[in-house]
Short mmCIF file of all heavy atoms in Angstrom, two decimals:
data_model
loop_
_atom_site.label_atom_id
_atom_site.label_comp_id
_atom_site.label_asym_id
_atom_site.label_seq_id
_atom_site.Cartn_x
_atom_site.Cartn_y
_atom_site.Cartn_z
N SER B 1119 -12.32 48.34 -21.75
CA SER B 1119 -11.87 46.95 -21.62
C SER B 1119 -10.42 46.89 -21.13
O SER B 1119 -10.03 45.95 -20.45
CB SER B 1119 -11.99 46.24 -22.97
OG SER B 1119 -11.20 46.91 -23.93
N ARG B 1120 -9.62 47.94 -21.42
CA ARG B 1120 -8.23 47.92 -20.95
C ARG B 1120 -8.16 48.01 -19.43
O ARG B 1120 -7.32 47.39 -18.78
CB ARG B 1120 -7.46 49.09 -21.56
CG ARG B 1120 -6.96 48.79 -22.98
CD ARG B 1120 -6.36 50.03 -23.57
NE ARG B 1120 -7.33 51.12 -23.55
CZ ARG B 1120 -7.07 52.36 -23.99
NH1 ARG B 1120 -5.87 52.66 -24.44
NH2 ARG B 1120 -8.00 53.30 -23.96
N ASP B 1121 -9.08 48.79 -18.84
CA ASP B 1121 -9.10 48.90 -17.38
C ASP B 1121 -9.54 47.58 -16.75
O ASP B 1121 -8.97 47.12 -15.76
CB ASP B 1121 -10.04 50.02 -16.94
CG ASP B 1121 -9.52 51.38 -17.39
OD1 ASP B 1121 -8.29 51.52 -17.52
OD2 ASP B 1121 -10.34 52.28 -17.61
N LEU B 1122 -10.57 46.97 -17.35
CA LEU B 1122 -11.04 45.68 -16.84
C LEU B 1122 -9.91 44.65 -16.95
O LEU B 1122 -9.66 43.88 -16.02
CB LEU B 1122 -12.26 45.20 -17.63
CG LEU B 1122 -13.49 46.12 -17.57
CD1 LEU B 1122 -14.66 45.46 -18.29
CD2 LEU B 1122 -13.88 46.44 -16.13
N LEU B 1123 -9.24 44.68 -18.09
CA LEU B 1123 -8.15 43.74 -18.33
C LEU B 1123 -7.02 43.97 -17.32
O LEU B 1123 -6.39 43.03 -16.83
CB LEU B 1123 -7.63 43.93 -19.76
CG LEU B 1123 -6.82 42.76 -20.30
CD1 LEU B 1123 -7.73 41.54 -20.48
CD2 LEU B 1123 -6.17 43.13 -21.63
N PHE B 1124 -6.78 45.25 -17.02
CA PHE B 1124 -5.72 45.57 -16.05
C PHE B 1124 -6.00 44.91 -14.71
O PHE B 1124 -5.17 44.20 -14.15
CB PHE B 1124 -5.62 47.09 -15.87
CG PHE B 1124 -4.75 47.48 -14.70
CD1 PHE B 1124 -3.37 47.40 -14.78
CD2 PHE B 1124 -5.33 47.91 -13.50
CE1 PHE B 1124 -2.57 47.76 -13.70
CE2 PHE B 1124 -4.53 48.26 -12.41
CZ PHE B 1124 -3.15 48.18 -12.52
N PHE B 1125 -7.21 45.12 -14.19
CA PHE B 1125 -7.52 44.54 -12.88
C PHE B 1125 -7.55 43.02 -12.94
O PHE B 1125 -7.05 42.35 -12.05
CB PHE B 1125 -8.86 45.09 -12.35
CG PHE B 1125 -8.73 46.48 -11.79
CD1 PHE B 1125 -9.38 47.55 -12.39
CD2 PHE B 1125 -7.95 46.73 -10.67
CE1 PHE B 1125 -9.25 48.84 -11.87
CE2 PHE B 1125 -7.83 48.00 -10.15
CZ PHE B 1125 -8.47 49.06 -10.76
N ALA B 1126 -8.13 42.48 -14.02
CA ALA B 1126 -8.20 41.03 -14.15
C ALA B 1126 -6.81 40.41 -14.17
O ALA B 1126 -6.53 39.42 -13.47
CB ALA B 1126 -8.98 40.64 -15.40
N SER B 1127 -5.90 41.04 -14.95
CA SER B 1127 -4.57 40.43 -15.03
C SER B 1127 -3.78 40.66 -13.74
O SER B 1127 -3.02 39.79 -13.31
CB SER B 1127 -3.81 40.90 -16.27
OG SER B 1127 -4.00 42.27 -16.48
N LEU B 1128 -3.99 41.82 -13.11
CA LEU B 1128 -3.34 42.05 -11.81
C LEU B 1128 -3.74 40.95 -10.82
O LEU B 1128 -2.90 40.37 -10.12
CB LEU B 1128 -3.72 43.42 -11.25
CG LEU B 1128 -3.15 43.73 -9.88
CD1 LEU B 1128 -1.68 44.10 -9.99
CD2 LEU B 1128 -3.91 44.84 -9.18
N ILE B 1129 -5.05 40.66 -10.78
CA ILE B 1129 -5.55 39.63 -9.86
C ILE B 1129 -4.93 38.27 -10.19
O ILE B 1129 -4.43 37.58 -9.31
CB ILE B 1129 -7.10 39.57 -9.92
CG1 ILE B 1129 -7.69 40.82 -9.28
CG2 ILE B 1129 -7.62 38.31 -9.21
CD1 ILE B 1129 -9.18 40.98 -9.48
N LEU B 1130 -4.94 37.92 -11.47
CA LEU B 1130 -4.40 36.61 -11.85
C LEU B 1130 -2.91 36.49 -11.53
O LEU B 1130 -2.47 35.47 -11.00
CB LEU B 1130 -4.65 36.34 -13.34
CG LEU B 1130 -6.11 36.03 -13.68
CD1 LEU B 1130 -6.28 35.84 -15.18
CD2 LEU B 1130 -6.58 34.78 -12.93
N VAL B 1131 -2.16 37.55 -11.84
CA VAL B 1131 -0.73 37.50 -11.57
C VAL B 1131 -0.47 37.36 -10.06
O VAL B 1131 0.35 36.55 -9.63
CB VAL B 1131 -0.03 38.76 -12.14
CG1 VAL B 1131 1.38 38.90 -11.59
CG2 VAL B 1131 0.00 38.71 -13.66
N CYS B 1132 -1.18 38.14 -9.27
CA CYS B 1132 -0.98 38.08 -7.82
C CYS B 1132 -1.38 36.71 -7.27
O CYS B 1132 -0.73 36.19 -6.35
CB CYS B 1132 -1.77 39.17 -7.11
SG CYS B 1132 -1.04 40.78 -7.32
N LEU B 1133 -2.46 36.13 -7.80
CA LEU B 1133 -2.88 34.82 -7.29
C LEU B 1133 -1.88 33.75 -7.70
O LEU B 1133 -1.59 32.83 -6.91
CB LEU B 1133 -4.28 34.47 -7.80
CG LEU B 1133 -5.40 35.33 -7.23
CD1 LEU B 1133 -6.75 34.77 -7.64
CD2 LEU B 1133 -5.33 35.44 -5.71
N PHE B 1134 -1.34 33.88 -8.90
CA PHE B 1134 -0.30 32.94 -9.31
C PHE B 1134 0.91 33.07 -8.37
O PHE B 1134 1.44 32.07 -7.88
CB PHE B 1134 0.11 33.22 -10.76
CG PHE B 1134 1.17 32.29 -11.27
CD1 PHE B 1134 0.85 30.99 -11.59
CD2 PHE B 1134 2.48 32.72 -11.39
CE1 PHE B 1134 1.82 30.11 -12.03
CE2 PHE B 1134 3.47 31.85 -11.83
CZ PHE B 1134 3.14 30.54 -12.15
N GLY B 1135 1.28 34.32 -8.09
CA GLY B 1135 2.38 34.57 -7.15
C GLY B 1135 2.08 33.99 -5.77
O GLY B 1135 2.95 33.43 -5.11
N THR B 1136 0.81 34.10 -5.35
CA THR B 1136 0.41 33.54 -4.05
C THR B 1136 0.68 32.04 -4.03
O THR B 1136 1.29 31.52 -3.09
CB THR B 1136 -1.09 33.79 -3.81
OG1 THR B 1136 -1.35 35.18 -3.90
CG2 THR B 1136 -1.50 33.29 -2.43
#
Side-chain angles (χ1 to χ4, degrees):
Chain B
S1119 59
R1120 278 173 304 178
D1121 294 332
L1122 299 185
L1123 199 68
F1124 169 76
F1125 282 115
S1127 41
L1128 177 77
I1129 290 170
L1130 287 178
V1131 166
C1132 285
L1133 292 188
F1134 181 74
T1136 304

